[in-house]
Amino acid sequence: MALIMHTLHVDLGARSYPIYIGRDLLGDPALLARHLTGRQLVIVSNDRVAPLYLGRLRDALDPRVAVTEVILPDGEAHKTLESFEAIIDRALAEGHNRTTTFLALGGGVVGDLTGFAAACYQRGAAFLQVPTTLLAQVDSSVGGKTGVNHPLGKNMIGAFHQPAAVFIDLQVLQTLPEREFAAGLAEIIKYGLIREAGFYRWLEENLPALLAREEAVLAEAIERSCATKAAVVAEDEREGGVRAILNLGHTFGHAIETAQGYGSWLHGEAVAAGMVLALRLSADRGWVPAAEVDALVALLCRAGLPVLPPADMDAGRFLALMARDKKVVDGRLRLVLLRAIGHAVVVDDVDGQEIDALLSGAVAL
Amino acid sequence: MALIMHTLHVDLGARSYPIYIGRDLLGDPALLARHLTGRQLVIVSNDRVAPLYLGRLRDALDPRVAVTEVILPDGEAHKTLESFEAIIDRALAEGHNRTTTFLALGGGVVGDLTGFAAACYQRGAAFLQVPTTLLAQVDSSVGGKTGVNHPLGKNMIGAFHQPAAVFIDLQVLQTLPEREFAAGLAEIIKYGLIREAGFYRWLEENLPALLAREEAVLAEAIERSCATKAAVVAEDEREGGVRAILNLGHTFGHAIETAQGYGSWLHGEAVAAGMVLALRLSADRGWVPAAEVDALVALLCRAGLPVLPPADMDAGRFLALMARDKKVVDGRLRLVLLRAIGHAVVVDDVDGQEIDALLSGAVAL
C-alpha cells in the first residue's frame, strides 16, 4: 500500500496535474489506474532501471491494460531522435491509438524522450512520469519540457508537453549511485539560490540528513524544490520571461556537457560548476558578497559535486559553445546571475572580456 | 503592391492569427516584415514551387534578415521524419536561435513538415504559411495540425502548432496543375457538406467560375472554407469533439492513400471518393435522400474528381487499414456521416457488415 507523504498540485489551468511524493507509489494499482486514459500503456525505461523496478510496476497494473514495454540503452548518448523514433515505431506496430498513455520509468533522459514521444504521438498522447533519479524528480517533474539532443546542442528538438501525473517514489533513491544522487542535489541547491534563501539555509543545515537519504528530509527537499519550480513555471509556462531564472548555471553547464561529450559529466555536475561561475560573476559585480561564493563552493564540495569547469575549457571555448545556446536572443548572450542569495535575475550584458576575467580567476580558485 | 481581398481572424486566444487572402501578398515587404519574430528566417519549399515563387519572396525580404533556404524534393513521399530532421539540421547548422521564424512556401506537405519543424525547434519557434495549392489554402491554413507520415500511417507523428499568419496568394493558383486544383475543390465541397448547406448549393452553381479560376469567386470559396474550418476549430482546438466532423471522407480516404502508397492518389482525390462512401452510408441509413448521393457524384465528376475507391480495395482491406486510423477509440471505428446536407455527425456504430454492404454496392455504382 502506497504512503503518500506530499501531494503537490501544479496549477496550469486545463493542463494542471498532481505530483505524488511518497513510498511504494510504484506498486499501487489504484493510484496508477486513476491516471490511465484508455486501456493501452506504453512503458519506456532503460536497461539499468527496468530490471530494478519494471516488475513491481507491471504487477500493479490491471491485467486488462495492453502494455508495450520499450527498454532503451541507458545514458544521455541515447537521448536522440533515433530513440524517439524507436518508441514511436513500437507503439504504432503494436496498435496503440491516441488514447494510449506513455509512462516514463527512469531518469531525465527517459522522461524527456518519453514525454517528447507522447507529445508527438498522433499529435499528442497522455504522459505519466515515474522519475527514478533525484535530479529527474526535482527537475523534469515540473515544467513540461520534453525533447532530445542534437549533435549541435542539447534539447534542440522538443516540445512543451505536461504530464497527467508524476509519481515520485522515494524508495527508488535508495539504489541510486552516489554520483547521481549528488547531481540531483545540485538542482535542489539551485532552487534555494534563485528564489528561496530560507530553503538554501535549510539545505546547508540538512545536507548530512539528505546525504544519509533520510526519507522525511528527502521528501521535504523534493517537495520544496518542485513547489519552487512550479511557482516559476506557473508564472511563465512557455519560457518567455521569469522562467529563465531556472537556468542558473545551465548556460555554462550546457557548454561543459557539449564540450566533454554528452554523458561524461552528469547534467547536475555541470550545473554545479556552472552555478559557481554564475555566483562568481555576481560577486565580481558586487551583487553578492565574495563569502557567498566560498559558502556555495563548500556546500557543493560537501555534496560531492565539482566546483570548477574542466581544465581544458578556456573563455574562447565557453563563448563559442554558449553562442549556440537557446538562451541567445538576437546574438546577445543571456545569463542568470544573483542580485542576492534567493534573488536571481537575467542579464544580457555579459561580454567576452568579463567571461575571460572570470575564467582566468576560476582556474586560480 | 498587395491587394488584400479578405482578412480572416482565426480566434484562438493567445494563439489567434490572421489569414490574408488576396493578390501579390508574396511580394509585399511590409506585410511579411510585420510577421517576422526576429531577424532570422528559415524558408522551406520544394523543388517544384521554389523555382516559381521563391525569388519573389526573397526580393520582398528586408536584406538585414538572415535567410536559410531549405528546398526539399516534391511529394508526399518526402513528408517523413528524415525531411523534418533535414530542416532542423540546416537551421541549427546556420545558427538559428529560437526567435527565428519558419516559413512554409508550398502545399500541404511543405506546410505540415515546416510547421512540425517549427513546433519542435528548440521547443517551439514561430511559423508562417504561404500555401501554394488550393488544398493547403483551405485545409492546412486553419487548425494548427502539423506532422509527418510513418510507414504505418499518415500523420502519425506531429504536433498542434498554430501559425503566426497565413498568406493566401491567389496568383499561385493560376499555375496549379488541374488535378491538384480539383483535389482542393474536394475539401471545399466538404465544408459545404458538413456544416454549410447554403455554401454547398453556392458551390454547385459556381463550379464553372471556380474551374475557370476566377479570382473573386476563388477568394470567396477560400474565405468561406477557412471560416467554416476556423469556427469548428475554435470550438475544439485539440480535436476532442466536434472537430472530428472535419474528417468527413478522411477515414476512407486515408485507407485509400495508405493502400495505394502515399502520393499515387492525391489527398483530395481520396477524400472525394471517401465522401461518396460516407454519403452512401448516410443514405443507406435513411438520413439523406439517395438523390443527394447522385448530386454529390455529379458535382465531383464535374470537378474532375474520382467518385469510387480503387477497384482492388474490398471491405476487408478497408477495415484492416481503418483499424489503424487515429479516429479509432478503444477499438471502435469512428466515422463521420451526414444527418442532412450541412449537418455532419460522428458515429461509432458502423460494423464490418455495413462496410461490406457499402463496398459491394460501391462497385456496382
Side-chain angles (χ1 to χ4, degrees):
Chain A
M1 197 39 210
L3 171 68
I4 297 175
M5 298 162 75
H6 297 279
T7 302
L8 184 72
H9 287 280
V10 180
D11 187 7
L12 295 166
R15 288 179 303 285
S16 299
Y17 63 91
I19 299 177
Y20 303 104
I21 303 169
R23 309 184 56 179
D24 204 21
L25 306 186
L26 215 55
D28 188 328
L31 194 61
L32 288 171
R34 197 188 311 160
H35 293 285
L36 289 188
T37 308
R39 290 192 177 180
Q40 297 181 307
L41 179 66
V42 181
I43 300 176
V44 181
S45 191
N46 70 39
D47 56 14
R48 199 181 63 171
V49 171
L52 295 171
Y53 305 114
L54 184 54
R56 269 172 68 203
L57 182 62
R58 203 189 286 131
D59 291 346
L61 287 169
D62 185 323
R64 288 167 303 180
V65 174
V67 180
T68 294
E69 295 169 2
V70 184
I71 312 300
L72 300 166
D74 181 32
E76 181 90 21
H78 301 283
K79 188 175 154 181
T80 59
L81 210 50
E82 288 64 42
S83 298
F84 161 86
E85 211 175 343
I87 298 169
I88 301 272
D89 285 351
R90 278 288 303 285
L92 284 175
E94 302 199 7
H96 287 262
N97 57 52
R98 66 177 157 185
T99 62
T100 192
T101 300
F102 287 77
L103 185 150
L105 175 68
V109 169
V110 167
D112 285 6
L113 255 173
T114 309
F116 186 44
C120 298
Y121 192 71
Q122 302 195 21
R123 295 202 197 90
F127 169 44
L128 298 176
Q129 270 190 298
V130 182
T132 59
T133 66
L134 182 57
L135 187 133
Q137 291 175 346
V138 297
D139 185 18
S140 27
S141 297
V142 184
K145 285 190 177 182
T146 71
V148 299
N149 297 328
H150 185 277
L152 294 178
K154 270 177 73 92
N155 298 318
M156 284 292 163
I157 308 174
F160 285 91
H161 191 57
Q162 304 296 340
V166 179
F167 305 91
I168 297 183
D169 193 324
L170 297 172
Q171 283 164 292
V172 303
L173 296 179
Q174 301 303 329
T175 57
L176 196 65
E178 248 176 64
R179 210 179 136 196
E180 287 201 46
F181 188 81
L185 290 176
E187 289 280 348
I188 291 175
I189 290 165
K190 181 197 76 180
Y191 293 115
L193 284 172
I194 59 170
R195 208 165 145 126
E196 302 288 340
F199 180 42
Y200 183 67
R201 301 306 170 202
W202 181 90
L203 287 169
E204 287 187 310
E205 269 168 48
N206 286 277
L207 191 71
L210 284 170
L211 290 171
R213 307 192 191 184
E214 288 177 18
E215 277 190 355
V217 185
L218 277 173
E220 181 161 355
I222 292 167
E223 202 272 336
R224 290 179 79 166
S225 296
C226 289
T228 302
K229 182 162 184 184
V232 173
V233 169
E235 287 172 36
D236 178 20
E237 190 181 348
R238 307 282 298 202
E239 202 165 26
V242 63
R243 183 163 175 166
I245 66 170
L246 296 171
N247 291 317
L248 177 70
H250 281 59
T251 303
F252 292 114
H254 283 168
I256 293 171
E257 286 177 272
T258 305
Q260 306 301 306
Y262 295 142
S264 101
W265 278 54
L266 295 178
H267 176 67
E269 292 172 337
V271 167
M275 289 194 297
V276 175
L277 290 173
L279 202 61
R280 286 200 42 165
L281 214 44
S282 310
D284 289 350
R285 290 183 167 205
W287 290 351
V288 295
E292 288 293 0
V293 182
D294 299 336
L296 176 63
V297 167
L299 180 64
L300 296 174
C301 284
R302 283 161 68 204
L305 286 160
V307 295
L308 284 177
D312 60 351
M313 285 187 70
D314 60 12
R317 189 105 174 81
F318 263 105
L319 285 168
L321 288 163
M322 293 193 299
R324 283 211 301 258
D325 196 272
K326 285 197 297 298
K327 265 69 80 183
V328 172
V329 176
D330 282 331
R332 295 182 77 88
L333 179 65
R334 296 172 78 220
L335 283 175
V336 184
L337 300 184
L338 296 189
R339 298 294 317 207
I341 299 296
H343 181 196
V345 290
V346 179
V347 300
D348 68 354
D349 61 349
V350 176
D351 60 17
Q353 228 170 351
E354 211 173 341
I355 300 285
D356 230 8
L358 172 72
L359 286 165
S360 24
V363 179
L365 192 77
Chain B
M1 197 38 207
L3 172 68
I4 298 174
M5 298 162 75
H6 296 279
T7 303
L8 185 72
H9 288 280
V10 181
D11 188 7
L12 295 167
R15 288 179 303 286
S16 298
Y17 63 91
I19 300 178
Y20 303 105
I21 303 169
R23 309 184 56 179
D24 203 22
L25 306 186
L26 215 55
D28 188 328
L31 194 61
L32 287 171
R34 198 188 312 160
H35 293 285
L36 289 188
T37 308
R39 292 193 177 178
Q40 297 181 307
L41 180 65
V42 181
I43 300 175
V44 181
S45 192
N46 69 39
D47 56 14
R48 199 181 62 171
V49 171
L52 296 171
Y53 305 115
L54 185 54
R56 269 172 66 203
L57 181 62
R58 204 188 285 131
D59 291 344
L61 286 169
D62 185 325
R64 289 167 302 181
V65 174
V67 179
T68 294
E69 295 169 3
V70 184
I71 312 302
L72 301 166
D74 182 32
E76 181 89 21
H78 300 283
K79 189 175 154 180
T80 59
L81 210 50
E82 288 64 45
S83 298
F84 162 86
E85 210 175 345
I87 299 170
I88 301 271
D89 285 352
R90 278 288 301 285
L92 284 174
E94 302 198 9
H96 288 262
N97 58 52
R98 66 176 157 185
T99 62
T100 193
T101 300
F102 287 77
L103 185 150
L105 175 68
V109 170
V110 167
D112 285 7
L113 254 172
T114 309
F116 186 43
C120 298
Y121 192 71
Q122 303 196 22
R123 293 202 196 91
F127 169 42
L128 299 176
Q129 270 189 299
V130 182
T132 59
T133 65
L134 183 57
L135 187 132
Q137 292 175 346
V138 298
D139 184 19
S140 29
S141 296
V142 184
K145 285 189 177 182
T146 71
V148 298
N149 297 329
H150 185 278
L152 293 177
K154 271 178 71 92
N155 298 318
M156 284 292 165
I157 308 175
F160 285 92
H161 191 58
Q162 303 295 341
V166 179
F167 306 91
I168 297 183
D169 193 323
L170 297 172
Q171 283 164 292
V172 304
L173 297 179
Q174 301 304 330
T175 57
L176 196 65
E178 248 176 64
R179 211 180 136 195
E180 288 201 46
F181 188 80
L185 290 176
E187 289 281 348
I188 291 175
I189 291 166
K190 182 197 75 178
Y191 293 115
L193 285 172
I194 60 171
R195 208 166 145 125
E196 303 288 340
F199 180 43
Y200 183 67
R201 301 307 170 202
W202 181 90
L203 287 169
E204 286 186 311
E205 271 168 46
N206 287 278
L207 191 70
L210 283 171
L211 290 171
R213 306 192 192 184
E214 288 177 18
E215 276 189 356
V217 185
L218 277 172
E220 181 161 355
I222 293 167
E223 202 271 337
R224 290 180 80 167
S225 296
C226 289
T228 303
K229 182 162 184 183
V232 173
V233 169
E235 286 172 35
D236 179 20
E237 190 180 346
R238 308 282 297 199
E239 202 165 29
V242 63
R243 182 162 177 167
I245 66 170
L246 295 171
N247 291 314
L248 177 70
H250 281 60
T251 304
F252 292 113
H254 283 168
I256 293 172
E257 287 177 273
T258 304
Q260 306 302 307
Y262 295 142
S264 102
W265 278 54
L266 295 178
H267 175 69
E269 293 172 337
V271 167
M275 289 194 298
V276 175
L277 290 173
L279 202 62
R280 287 201 42 166
L281 214 43
S282 309
D284 289 350
R285 291 184 166 203
W287 291 351
V288 295
E292 288 292 1
V293 181
D294 299 336
L296 176 64
V297 166
L299 180 64
L300 296 173
C301 285
R302 285 161 67 204
L305 286 160
V307 294
L308 283 176
D312 60 353
M313 286 187 69
D314 59 11
R317 188 105 175 83
F318 263 105
L319 285 167
L321 288 163
M322 293 194 297
R324 282 211 300 259
D325 196 273
K326 286 199 294 297
K327 267 68 79 182
V328 172
V329 176
D330 282 331
R332 295 182 78 87
L333 179 65
R334 297 172 77 220
L335 284 175
V336 184
L337 300 184
L338 296 189
R339 297 294 316 207
I341 298 298
H343 181 196
V345 290
V346 180
V347 301
D348 68 353
D349 61 350
V350 175
D351 61 16
Q353 229 171 347
E354 211 172 341
I355 301 285
D356 230 8
L358 172 72
L359 286 164
S360 25
V363 179
L365 193 77

